[in-house]
Amino acid sequence: MPIKEDLPFHPVRIAVLTVSDSRDLAQDKSGDTLVARIEAAGHIVADRAIVRDDVELITARLHGWIDDPEVDCVITTGGTGVTGRDVTPEALGRVWDKEIPGFGELFRWLSYAKIGTSTIQSRATACVARGTYIFALPGSTGAVKDGWDDILVYQLDSRHMPCNFVELMPRLTEK
């Protein structure tokens, strides 16, 4: 789909959350990959954090960013698998007003071309929570690249046609 170069670009303020029991900032390759791509696309990294695979900790961090007027969007990496410690989708379920099911569906469809049926183990998801977009990606650098390069770089670009998430931001909290 085309980018209309004659339209204005509106940078999105994005917070990056890595969900992991074993990583710190020095070992967070997926978070680094995401931050680099966000900045290369012209957006603003509003904040970055790492929290353990714990629903309460993830939910608390999400609530903080949802309530922060300087954060338009949150992208998480990690915790979307099927093991007992993978609880990122459950945390999103505690904060969302509306799920965006097409995000996870499209992510898995695109991922299938690269990793085959293993994509079924991903519970990538997205939502809107009190006017803030939240996208949950798996924790591998490959998955972060796929989610950003194949979906989010376009949907978070105000010039992407025929439509994009950015143009809807002013209307996300309307009643």
Side-chain angles (χ1 to χ4, degrees):
M1 292 294 142
I3 298 291
K4 296 232 358 167
E5 299 292 340
D6 59 323
L7 294 176
F9 176 79
H10 300 288
V12 177
R13 297 167 301 198
I14 303 170
V16 175
L17 178 63
T18 297
V19 177
S20 176
D21 287 335
S22 60
R23 295 182 197 161
D24 60 22
L25 279 177
Q27 300 148 338
D28 185 17
K29 290 186 171 122
S30 294
D32 291 343
T33 297
L34 191 51
V35 165
R37 280 170 158 68
I38 289 166
E39 291 174 340
H43 299 295
I44 299 158
V45 176
D47 201 1
R48 182 176 178 185
I50 296 178
V51 298
R52 290 189 332 266
D53 292 276
D54 178 280
V55 172
E56 299 301 330
L57 294 175
I58 299 166
T59 302
R61 182 66 268 167
L62 292 175
H63 277 303
W65 284 333
I66 292 164
D67 293 336
D68 185 342
E70 296 302 312
V71 175
D72 301 312
C73 174
V74 176
I75 305 175
T76 73
T77 175
T80 62
V82 297
T83 72
R85 297 290 299 154
D86 293 320
V87 295
T88 302
E90 287 75 18
L92 266 65
R94 290 189 178 188
V95 301
W96 73 37
D97 298 317
K98 291 187 178 186
E99 183 181 14
I100 306 172
F103 176 79
E105 294 162 357
L106 179 56
F107 176 85
R108 284 180 287 279
W109 181 76
L110 292 165
S111 180
Y112 179 77
K114 297 174 184 178
I115 64 169
T117 59
S118 294
T119 193
I120 202 165
Q121 295 179 28
S122 168
R123 296 186 305 139
T125 190
C127 67
V128 177
R130 299 190 307 277
T132 301
Y133 288 114
I134 306 173
F135 303 96
L137 296 170
S140 74
T141 55
V144 166
K145 290 175 185 177
D146 293 346
W148 180 264
D149 296 350
D150 297 340
I151 304 171
L152 294 175
V153 72
Y154 301 109
Q155 282 299 298
L156 295 177
D157 191 322
S158 55
R159 304 165 301 167
H160 181 263
M161 291 296 135
C163 57
N164 58 75
F165 284 134
V166 179
E167 66 189 353
L168 299 175
M169 284 180 174
R171 298 177 43 215
L172 291 177
T173 59
E174 69 187 9
K175 301 282 183 195

